[in-house]
């Protein structure tokens, strides 16, 4: 993984906390990172290039600025006033290369002095076994603080550890083995026999969690369940969770939405233009 700095920009080493998405259902993690970048008015400092990320290009996602800056697959931002770094990912990983991408990212993050990595992602609502809709949208977490994935700070915020995390389960063990440079195949791991318990460690957030953990970094995954469709409410919820965990003061945001969030410019066309009323 290579980093290419914007002309005249450099990384602030005081921004030791990194927030990034793990692509999943509904793109909630990416939407939440969009919301954080626009609300913090974070400064783009460069681009990341990795052979395991599919190429893409688009218009500036945040500002309708005349220069028309282009958006690339992996972009790096920072907010020095909040001591935060952010990475936005806009295209998927090449099929079968998620662990390699996670290893490359972990090497880059560790070599650049980051201390805490917060991964934002979503989970398939259809696989949620203990549904409790009485309390509305809920945040689940996974942390490297303790071996069982628990974190007292997250519990104090009212979040629940992801129940499906079991570090002794075969796929989690296999993933940790890969993250630590072990063999790419185990004789007793037959992929045609994979069951429901193997679903969660197969997701992108799990690969990122394991590879960053293998580098000795503090890692916190913030997760919410959702379905495909309009997941903007979930994005707000996940962004608010990241704000609480990092101690961001939302009163310093300059938006007009609840919580003073600044809506990214690209969200104006996230579902395309309205239907032509002459059709009706």
């Amino acid at each position: 993984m290579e980093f290419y700095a914007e002309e005249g920009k450099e990384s602030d080493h005081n921004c030791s906390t990194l927030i990034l998405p793990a692509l999943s259902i509904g793109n909630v993690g990416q939407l939440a990172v969009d919301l954080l970048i626009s609300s913090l008015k974070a400064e783009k400092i460069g681009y990341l290039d990795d052979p395991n990320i599919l190429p893409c290009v688009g218009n500036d996602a945040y500002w309708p600025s005349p220069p028309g800056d282009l958006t690339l697959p992996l972009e790096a931002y920072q907010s020095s006033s909040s001591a935060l770094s952010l990475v936005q990912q806009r295209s998927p990983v090449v099929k079968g290369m998620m662990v390699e991408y996670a290893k490359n990212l972990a090497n880059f993050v560790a070599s650049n002095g980051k201390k805490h990595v917060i991964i934002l992602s979503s989970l398939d609502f259809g696989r949620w076994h203990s549904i409790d809709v009485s309390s509305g949208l809920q945040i689940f977490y996974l942390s490297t603080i303790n071996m069982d994935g628990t974190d007292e700070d997250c519990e104090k915020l009212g979040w629940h550890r992801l129940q499906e995390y079991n570090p002794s389960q075969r796929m989690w063990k296999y993933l940790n083995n890969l993250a630590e440079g072990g063999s790419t195949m185990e004789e007793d791991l037959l992929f045609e026999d994979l069951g429901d318990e193997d679903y969660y460690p197969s997701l992108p957030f799990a690969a990122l969690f394991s590879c960053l953990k293998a580098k000795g970094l503090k890692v916190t995954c913030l997760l919410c369940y959702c379905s495909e469709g309009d997941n903007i409410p979930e994005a707000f919820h996940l962004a608010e969770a990241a704000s609480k965990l990092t101690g961001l003061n939302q009163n310093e945001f300059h938006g007009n939405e609840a919580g003073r969030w600044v809506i990214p410019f690209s969200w104006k066309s996230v579902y395309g233009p309205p239907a032509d009323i002459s059709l009706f």
Side-chain angles (χ1 to χ4, degrees):
M1 180 173 288
E2 300 290 338
F3 175 68
Y4 299 93
E6 290 260 287
E7 185 176 355
K9 305 290 178 64
E10 60 183 23
S11 178
D12 185 345
H13 296 292
N14 292 320
C15 297
S16 60
T17 296
L18 171 65
I19 300 176
L20 74 159
L23 273 60
S24 189
I25 184 170
N27 302 316
V28 177
Q30 293 163 288
L31 291 171
V33 171
D34 266 351
L35 198 54
L36 288 164
I37 290 172
S38 60
S39 299
L40 289 168
K41 297 194 179 301
E43 175 187 36
K44 185 192 293 185
I45 59 170
Y47 307 88
L48 294 165
D49 183 40
D50 188 272
N52 301 300
I53 294 289
L54 292 171
C56 75
V57 66
N59 290 327
D60 187 347
Y62 303 108
W63 326 113
S65 53
D69 291 337
L70 294 178
T71 293
L72 296 178
L74 284 173
E75 299 180 318
Y77 294 80
Q78 69 183 18
S79 171
S80 296
S81 61
S82 303
L84 287 177
S85 298
L86 304 101
V87 166
Q88 180 61 293
Q89 180 182 345
R90 298 202 176 276
S91 66
V93 176
V94 175
K95 185 177 180 179
M97 302 304 293
M98 184 62 217
V99 173
E100 289 304 310
Y101 165 67
K103 286 181 179 179
N104 292 346
L105 182 66
N107 287 333
F108 174 80
V109 171
S111 65
N112 279 272
K114 304 306 179 188
K115 301 292 190 292
H116 185 193
V117 181
I118 300 171
I119 300 169
L120 307 182
S121 194
S122 49
L123 305 170
D124 185 355
F125 188 84
R127 291 181 176 270
W128 192 2
H129 299 298
S130 303
I131 300 176
D132 177 14
V133 296
S134 62
S135 56
L137 293 173
Q138 298 172 48
I139 293 294
F140 294 84
Y141 77 88
L142 189 57
S143 172
T144 58
I145 291 294
N146 296 308
M147 288 293 293
D148 63 355
T150 57
D151 186 330
E152 185 178 348
D153 290 337
C154 291
E155 294 288 335
K156 288 179 180 178
L157 291 169
W159 305 335
H160 302 290
R161 194 211 68 167
L162 183 67
Q163 293 180 348
E164 289 76 9
Y165 178 65
N166 179 4
S168 63
Q169 191 266 346
R170 62 172 186 170
M171 277 296 288
W172 284 108
K173 289 174 65 177
Y174 176 63
L175 191 56
N176 288 334
N177 182 50
L178 292 180
E180 293 170 1
S183 171
T184 58
M185 184 61 70
E186 291 183 355
E187 293 180 0
D188 60 344
L189 188 61
L190 301 176
F191 288 94
E192 60 268 24
D193 294 334
L194 297 182
D196 288 343
E197 71 276 7
D198 301 308
Y199 168 71
Y200 290 91
S202 73
L203 297 177
F205 86 85
L208 291 171
F209 177 82
S210 298
C211 291
L212 290 162
K213 177 183 176 182
K215 288 293 180 181
L217 296 166
K218 178 183 178 182
V219 188
T220 307
C221 296
L222 300 181
L223 311 161
C224 69
Y225 283 91
C226 74
S227 302
E228 292 288 2
D230 182 357
N231 290 303
I232 287 178
E234 286 82 0
F236 273 103
H237 195 54
L238 209 52
E240 287 169 0
S243 296
K244 290 178 181 178
L245 188 62
T246 56
L248 285 178
N249 183 1
Q250 293 178 215
N251 291 325
E252 296 178 1
F253 297 167
H254 303 290
N256 297 319
E257 297 296 318
R260 300 182 65 83
W261 293 102
V262 177
I263 302 302
F265 182 73
S266 58
W267 285 20
K268 293 181 181 295
S269 57
V270 68
Y271 292 107
D276 184 348
I277 60 173
S278 66
L279 295 173
F280 308 100

